[in-house]
């Protein structure tokens, strides 16, 4: 019996010294595996960032619309108040001359309360009736403005919630990309104050101006949602470059592709200044001529020039 116990104890000790496969932490990925994962993350990030940019643009438009309606509402409210004060004056005069009218009605600052009580008034003279009609019309307009204002505000609030959701998803992706790049020793923080380089290609006209601007951004870091001047994402970079060339482009890469529906050119007929897409139209850059592309790549990289073969373009548009 004692011998069996000794054998069991010995086996247990040996077992403790042996590696337990199921309990081991996952091994760190090889460089090749990390690069493959990074490539997949970059492609995923292009789509997520474009969705974030689209939501951000929608939010900015909704906010601007709300501000415009809010200003209009305030102006309309001021006009209603002026009409109300005029009616108070008329009512006071009428009261003094013996034509009884509800004074409390006109001293009520609540437009809805005043409007609901107008039907109780006696017949008024033509002049006073006209003023009353103006007031009723102004009140109705004010109510429409108020309702529209609320609707736009509610929509802006919803858009803001969508924006925050997209931002969180993008932030999570950026964190994962950054960790992988640092593990590979390939994270490039860039220089927000980079003076870039001089463009010396064959472009002319508006395309020359766009590419001169683009080359001056070389070395500045990529940052999703960024539109310069110290950092860029791909579509913000392209939008700003072609703005320098006198052409107004939409904000996101997908919108830019849609904008160029009637301006598309085959990849075999590229000219300097043409816009180039890869990654399912989630990423855009600018053809610089001589087989080169300038673009803002992805997290952990900088605005730079790559070969057309490296860029792997799938579509082109000529602004």
């Amino acid at each position: 019996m004692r011998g069996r116990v000794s054998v069991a104890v010995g086996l247990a000790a040996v077992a403790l010294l042996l590696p337990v496969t199921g309990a081991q932490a996952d091994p760190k990925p090889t460089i090749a595996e990390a690069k493959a994962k990074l490539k997949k993350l970059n492609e995923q990030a292009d789509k997520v960032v474009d969705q974030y940019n689209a939501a951000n643009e929608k939010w900015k438009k909704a906010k601007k619309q709300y501000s415009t309606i809010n200003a209009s509402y305030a102006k309309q409210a001021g006009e209603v108040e002026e009409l109300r004060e005029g009616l108070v004056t008329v009512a006071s005069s009428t009261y003094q001359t013996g034509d009884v009218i509800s004074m409390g009605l006109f001293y009520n600052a609540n437009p809805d309360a005043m409007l609901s009580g107008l039907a109780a008034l006696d017949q008024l003279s033509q002049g006073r009736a006209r003023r009353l009609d103006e007031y009723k019309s102004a009140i109705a307009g004010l109510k429409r403005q108020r309702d529209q204002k609320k609707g736009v505000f509610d929509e802006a609030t919803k858009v803001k919630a969508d924006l925050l959701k997209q931002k969180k998803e993008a932030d999570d992706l950026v964190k994962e990309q950054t960790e992988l790049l640092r593990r590979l020793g390939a994270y490039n923080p860039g220089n927000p104050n980079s003076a870039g380089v001089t463009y010396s290609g064959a472009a002319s006209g508006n395309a020359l101006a766009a590419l001169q601007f683009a080359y001056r951004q070389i070395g500045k870091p990529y940052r999703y949602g960024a539109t310069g001047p110290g950092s860029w994402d791909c579509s913000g970079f392209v939008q700003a470059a072609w703005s320098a060339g006198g052409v107004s482009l939409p904000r996101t890469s997908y919108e830019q592709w849609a904008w160029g529906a009637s301006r598309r050119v085959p990849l075999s007929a590229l000219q300097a200044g043409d816009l180039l897409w890869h990654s399912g139209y989630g990423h855009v850059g600018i053809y610089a001529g001589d087989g080169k592309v300038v673009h803002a790549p992805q997290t952990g990289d900088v605005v730079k020039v790559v070969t057309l073969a490296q860029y792997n373009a799938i579509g082109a548009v000529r602004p």
Side-chain angles (χ1 to χ4, degrees):
M1 182 67 177
R2 182 176 297 175
R4 291 181 181 177
V5 171
S6 299
V7 171
V9 171
L11 290 175
V14 171
L16 288 172
L17 295 174
L18 293 174
V20 183
T21 305
Q24 281 185 318
D26 291 336
K28 288 185 177 180
T30 65
I31 290 179
E33 289 171 338
K35 285 183 177 180
K37 184 176 181 181
L38 183 62
K39 182 176 184 295
K40 187 175 181 180
L41 282 175
N42 289 340
E43 292 173 355
Q44 186 180 357
D46 283 336
K47 296 175 184 177
V48 170
V49 167
D50 205 78
Q51 289 168 352
Y52 166 80
N53 286 336
N56 195 29
E57 290 303 298
K58 190 175 180 182
W59 156 241
K60 287 192 289 188
K61 288 176 183 176
K63 184 179 178 183
K64 183 178 180 180
Q65 187 181 8
Y66 174 70
S67 296
T68 300
I69 290 176
N70 201 31
S72 178
Y73 178 81
K75 180 182 177 182
Q76 186 83 17
E79 292 172 355
V80 167
E81 178 59 21
E82 288 179 6
L83 287 170
R84 187 186 71 82
E85 290 174 356
L87 283 172
V88 167
T89 301
V90 170
S92 297
S93 174
T94 302
Y95 179 77
Q96 291 169 4
T97 58
D99 188 4
V100 179
I101 197 167
S102 175
M103 293 292 291
L105 172 64
F106 290 109
Y107 280 112
N108 193 329
N110 185 331
D112 289 335
M114 288 188 67
L115 190 60
S116 64
L118 291 174
L121 295 175
D122 296 330
Q123 290 292 325
L124 302 175
S125 67
Q126 185 175 356
R128 282 179 290 171
R130 184 174 62 253
R131 289 178 183 171
L132 185 58
D133 286 342
E134 288 174 355
Y135 180 77
K136 290 169 68 176
S137 177
I139 289 274
L142 185 64
K143 290 179 69 178
R144 284 194 299 272
Q145 290 277 356
R146 181 191 62 196
D147 293 344
Q148 187 180 12
K149 175 183 168 185
K150 184 179 183 303
V152 170
F153 178 77
D154 290 345
E155 175 62 20
T157 301
K158 180 180 179 297
V159 169
K160 185 70 172 179
D162 291 341
L163 174 62
L164 292 175
K165 178 182 176 183
Q166 296 294 343
K167 185 178 186 305
K168 184 183 183 306
E169 189 173 353
D171 285 342
D172 290 343
L173 271 172
V174 166
K175 182 180 179 182
E176 194 169 357
Q177 286 173 297
T178 300
E179 289 174 354
L180 262 178
L181 285 165
R182 292 192 187 283
R183 185 182 301 169
L184 292 168
Y187 187 85
N188 185 349
N191 177 9
N193 299 311
S194 173
V197 299
T198 300
Y199 175 74
S200 58
S204 60
N206 291 354
L208 176 60
L211 282 163
Q212 286 174 334
F213 177 94
Y215 269 58
R216 288 197 298 272
Q217 312 312 307
I218 289 175
K220 292 183 178 180
Y222 173 95
R223 182 169 63 82
Y224 87 85
T227 55
S231 58
W232 303 93
D233 67 13
C234 69
S235 55
F237 168 71
V238 167
Q239 183 187 48
W242 264 103
S243 178
V247 176
S248 179
L249 295 176
R251 172 64 181 91
T252 74
S253 56
Y254 286 104
E255 288 174 330
Q256 289 168 2
W257 175 251
W259 171 87
S262 62
R263 300 166 178 264
R264 290 173 191 162
V265 293
L267 295 176
S268 59
L270 290 176
Q271 293 181 10
D274 289 348
L275 309 185
L276 287 174
W277 279 262
H278 73 61
S279 298
Y281 308 103
H283 186 89
V284 62
I286 305 174
Y287 183 59
D290 195 27
K292 298 175 182 176
V293 181
V294 59
H295 70 138
Q298 64 268 326
T299 294
D301 210 339
V302 299
V303 176
K304 63 184 182 182
V305 176
V306 298
T307 67
L308 191 56
Q310 289 172 320
Y311 189 78
N312 194 27
I314 60 173
V317 164
R318 184 162 299 153

